[in-house]
Structures are given as structure tokens and as C-alpha cells.
Amino acid sequence: MLRQHCLNQNRKSWHGFAAYTLLGFLLISQSWPSIRAEENVAKSHTWQEAFEVLGISWNSDGTLKREIQIPMVDATPSITDPKNPPVALSTDVQLSYKSKAYVRLYIPVNPPKDTKLPLIIYLHGGDFVLFSASTVIFHDFCNDIASQFPAVVVSVEYRLAPENRLPAAYDDAMNAIFWIKNQALGIGGRDPWLDYADFSRVFLLGSSAGGNIVYHTALRALDFDLRPIKICGILLNQPLFGGVLRTPSEIRLMEDPYVPLYVCDVLWTLALPPYANRDHEFCNPISGGSYLGRVPRLPRVFVKADEGDPLIDRTTQLVQLLMRYRVPVIYQYNRGGFHGIELQNKTAAQSLYDDMKRFVYSTRATDDEESHDSY
């Protein structure tokens, strides 16, 4: 589904769009019509078509065979070719000898010796069904963040659906946070790369399905004493949400080449718990459920969305919810664009890196301590 598109963005200054958000930018969609999914699905599409688009098929044991040809790459823990050095260094760390769970750590090639770096916990995209922390597009994304911010990045390898349906990915993200807490406390020793991290400046970052995982993980984390680590903010890049009732952007972009609606429907069926529909809280965060009462306690949130993404209305609805609960929100809304644009367009990627870096370096632990004491 990944093809090259041109970027048509209406960029605003950081302070400009932040102020615009605070003045009520999100009122644009208050009166959207509600249209039932069953009345608007393109009836000609089948599960087989969706599977072909995704490059998946069933194995005889009920697991998936994943055939999408996006390379996976090894970590780069050292510079082996001085003439062609990596953007950042990376290494894989197994979280427990009892499981296959691991994270991929990233640090700048030349990390500062006298300054601690923010710690970014990253959850990759892939619709809950595809890809890995070692998939090259997400590996390169983390390399760029570690180098440009600079930051220590912890990219989480989480279990995929349908073999492990939600909330398995949320559980894996929480386990990674608990591992980082133990690293901060020195329990069982500490990976030397994490000596560069400022555990009082931890951020959760997710793209697409990873954005969904970050949102739910941030809400779950409110129930735990994570000290000495401090989650100061969350960053949602084109987060993947849905619902039974179609939004105008979903209808307008029903046959989108990147996230066509019929493919999204199949993916949600594979990812959600059995018998759950798309108004389950894992898919539709504004539908209610056990998490709503925790929303006011969230830290500062950065949200990025593109007008050409079928999920744009879902993202706007979430930002409206956050603002209604008085959660501090920075909403980066871009004209044009498409889902996953930063993975193909270097200009779009650099704009995203710059915006996220400003968010991270403008967010201080003391800002959240005044009103969010739970982290």
C-alpha cells in the first residue's frame, strides 16, 4: 500500500499552531453526520482481496503467513566502517530469559558525556498485524530520532495479532516500561547505554497502530508507581483508531491506496478481542469504556495528522476529547499528505522530527508535576 505521493502541507510556526489549537481549532468537525458502516462498505471487496493487499495468508494452524517484502535489519552496536558510519548506534536487549520479548536501544553515535538525554519509548506501526522493531523503515525512523533530537530510544518489539490479540501489545508496552523502571533503579544491573538517559524525561511515541498502543499504554500506566521514571508526554503520529459509524474522511477516502477502508475493517477484526466490534474502547476511545475516567490525568500530548489520511477525523475526535478533559494538547494538522508519509517523503519526515523535537525539549517534568502527580 506504500506508494510515493507529493506533499502539500500548509506549515505553521510552532507557536502559531499551538495558539490556534488553544483557541478551538477542533470545532471544525462538531456536526459530522453519523453513517453506519454497513451502509457504506464497498460491497465488492472481500477478505481475500484484503489479505492480498496486506501480503498475508492463513497457515493451517490458524496463524498468519506474512509475506510483505520490507526488509528487516540487524542492530548496529558499533561503527565497523568509518567511511560510512551509521546515523546512530543500536543494540537488541532481551527483557527476560523466560520470553522472547526484547527492545532495540538507540543512542547517538557521539552521545554527550555531561548531559542526560530524553528517553523515547517507541511503538512501531503495522496495523497490529505486521512488522517488527527491526523492520528497516522503523529502524531508520528511530535512528533519525536518536541522532537528531538527540535522545535515547527504546523501540519495543510487541506481539502481533491475530496470534496475540489486543490487549497483548498494550501488555508488552507496559512490560517494557517496567523494565525501564528497573533499569533506572539498577535492579539486576543497568545497560550502559541507559546511563545516557534522563529517567525523569520519558516520552511515549507511536506511529499508526503504535500511536493507538501509546495512548492506551499511557492510560494504563496511570495506575502504577513508576518512580524514579517520569512520563512527561506522549506523541501520537497518525494514530490508528476506528468505530462502527463512518466519518466523512473515511467515506471520502474509502478507496485510499494506503489504508483503504475494507482493509482496515479486516485488520480490526484480526486485532480486536473475539466478538468485539469497532466501538470497543481499544478501537474507539471516545465510545466509553474503562479508560475515560483516567483521561484528565494524562500528561502533555502531541498529535500529528494529515488531511489526506482517512483516519484524520478519528484523530480530530480524539483531540477534541483530550481538550474537553483539559489535557494539554499540541495538534499538528497538515494540509494534504497521506498515511505514513514520513516513511516515504524526506521533507515530511524532517518536519515531523522538528515538531516532535520541539515538543520533547519544551516539555519539562516540573510542568506535569503541578497537575499530574500520578506518574
Side-chain angles (χ1 to χ4, degrees), residues 115-118 198 200-203 230-233 299-300 357-372:
T115 302
K116 297 289 187 179
L117 300 176
D198 182 349
S200 70
R201 287 195 296 156
V202 177
F203 296 82
K230 171 94 177 159
I231 299 177
C232 297
R300 199 171 180 224
K357 177 179 178 179
R358 279 192 288 268
F359 176 83
V360 167
Y361 276 92
S362 66
T363 302
R364 304 297 178 190
T366 53
D367 294 337
D368 293 320
E369 286 168 358
E370 295 177 359
S371 56
H372 302 289

Side-chain angles (χ1 to χ4, degrees), residues 11 144 148 342 345-355:
R11 304 293 300 166
D144 289 341
Q148 292 195 30
E342 75 283 351
N345 185 297
K346 292 183 178 180
T347 301
Q350 192 59 56
S351 295
L352 176 62
Y353 298 152
D354 292 343
D355 289 340

Side-chain angles (χ1 to χ4, degrees), residues 218-352:
L219 290 167
R220 283 181 163 211
L222 290 163
D223 289 343
F224 299 94
D225 181 359
L226 298 177
R227 292 175 294 182
I229 74 171
K230 171 94 177 159
I231 299 177
C232 297
I234 65 176
L235 299 95
L236 310 178
N237 174 34
Q238 299 179 325
L240 177 62
F241 294 107
V244 170
L245 303 181
R246 301 300 193 200
T247 67
S249 66
E250 290 172 336
I251 297 169
R252 173 172 55 88
L253 298 167
M254 184 177 294
E255 298 292 336
D256 180 73
Y258 304 100
V259 280
L261 210 57
Y262 72 97
V263 173
C264 280
D265 291 344
V266 169
L267 288 165
W268 278 117
T269 302
L270 295 174
L272 288 169
Y275 312 113
N277 68 18
R278 290 188 306 280
D279 276 339
H280 190 281
E281 63 185 314
F282 294 167
C283 179
N284 187 353
I286 66 171
S287 64
S290 61
Y291 287 154
L292 278 183
R294 308 179 197 180
V295 172
R297 297 162 55 204
L298 285 172
R300 199 171 180 224
V301 181
F302 170 89
V303 184
K304 184 262 189 181
D306 290 83
E307 183 183 38
D309 182 356
L311 306 179
I312 180 67
D313 289 350
R314 299 288 178 190
T315 304
T316 301
Q317 287 178 334
L318 176 66
V319 176
Q320 287 178 317
L321 173 71
L322 295 173
M323 292 181 66
R324 192 158 62 246
Y325 282 103
R326 299 185 182 277
V327 177
V329 182
I330 297 296
Y331 188 20
Q332 175 59 62
Y333 175 92
N334 295 325
R335 300 290 181 186
F338 54 90
H339 195 78
I341 186 172
E342 75 283 351
L343 301 176
Q344 302 178 62
N345 185 297
K346 292 183 178 180
T347 301
Q350 192 59 56
S351 295
L352 176 62

